[in-house]
Amino acid sequence: MHKLDNVIYTGKATVTGGREGKATSDDGNLSVTLTTPKELGGAGGEGTNPEQMFAAGYAACYIGALKHVAAAEKVKLGKDISVKGEVGIGPIEGGFAIAVKLIVDLGELDKATAQAIADKAHQVCPYSNATRGNIEVDITVV
């Protein structure tokens, strides 16, 4: 387990109503309606779900890790980099679990350098560290 020596920032959000509710952050910058996808037995419709929010959060955090590693390696990343996060959910023995795919596009960077940065970013990203050994995480550089 990783124990923080110093908490720099704490994000706070409250959910009411579960998968058919609302999620709001304490500062009011996040306010989303939650809906259960049809694939999970819900009505679908407008709104988001925990899997989409986790995919977005992981992808955003991973870009931060990519930028951190690139700066340390003295590699310049273009403004066109992106990470597409995909979070799947399904049954396991005794419950449910998720699996993550991150599709990393570092633009014009050569494939070998991009792969090296992506591999190192996976070692420093807080989401990667939180999920390591707990869920399947597949990182693909395109």
Side-chain angles (χ1 to χ4, degrees), residues 80-101:
D80 60 341
I81 69 169
S82 67
V83 173
K84 179 180 182 182
E86 299 179 359
V87 175
I89 185 171
I92 59 170
E93 186 177 329
F96 291 86
I98 60 172
V100 173
K101 290 182 184 179

Side-chain angles (χ1 to χ4, degrees), residues 5-97:
D5 293 329
N6 180 28
V7 176
I8 300 169
Y9 170 77
T10 301
K12 298 177 184 177
T14 302
V15 173
T16 56
R19 285 184 171 268
E20 299 294 330
K22 185 170 180 107
T24 56
S25 61
D26 66 329
D27 61 7
N29 289 328
L30 174 74
S31 180
V32 294
T33 300
L34 302 171
T35 57
T36 302
K38 289 181 181 178
E39 297 86 347
L40 294 178
E46 294 188 26
T48 189
N49 57 64
E51 293 73 33
Q52 289 173 330
M53 290 192 294
F54 194 88
Y58 201 152
C61 190
Y62 194 77
I63 286 177
L66 289 166
K67 288 179 177 181
H68 173 81
V69 169
E73 300 281 322
K74 309 250 189 284
V75 173
K76 184 168 173 48
L77 296 179
K79 295 182 188 268
D80 60 341
I81 69 169
S82 67
V83 173
K84 179 180 182 182
E86 299 179 359
V87 175
I89 185 171
I92 59 170
E93 186 177 329
F96 291 86

Side-chain angles (χ1 to χ4, degrees), residues 63-136:
I63 286 177
L66 289 166
K67 288 179 177 181
H68 173 81
V69 169
E73 300 281 322
K74 309 250 189 284
V75 173
K76 184 168 173 48
L77 296 179
K79 295 182 188 268
D80 60 341
I81 69 169
S82 67
V83 173
K84 179 180 182 182
E86 299 179 359
V87 175
I89 185 171
I92 59 170
E93 186 177 329
F96 291 86
I98 60 172
V100 173
K101 290 182 184 179
L102 298 177
I103 297 101
V104 179
D105 184 347
L106 295 182
E108 300 295 320
L109 205 57
D110 70 90
K111 186 84 167 189
T113 303
Q115 187 66 57
I117 289 173
D119 291 344
K120 289 178 183 176
H122 189 47
Q123 297 305 309
V124 301
C125 176
Y127 275 66
S128 294
N129 286 329
T131 59
R132 191 175 330 284
N134 297 313
I135 66 170
E136 179 183 357

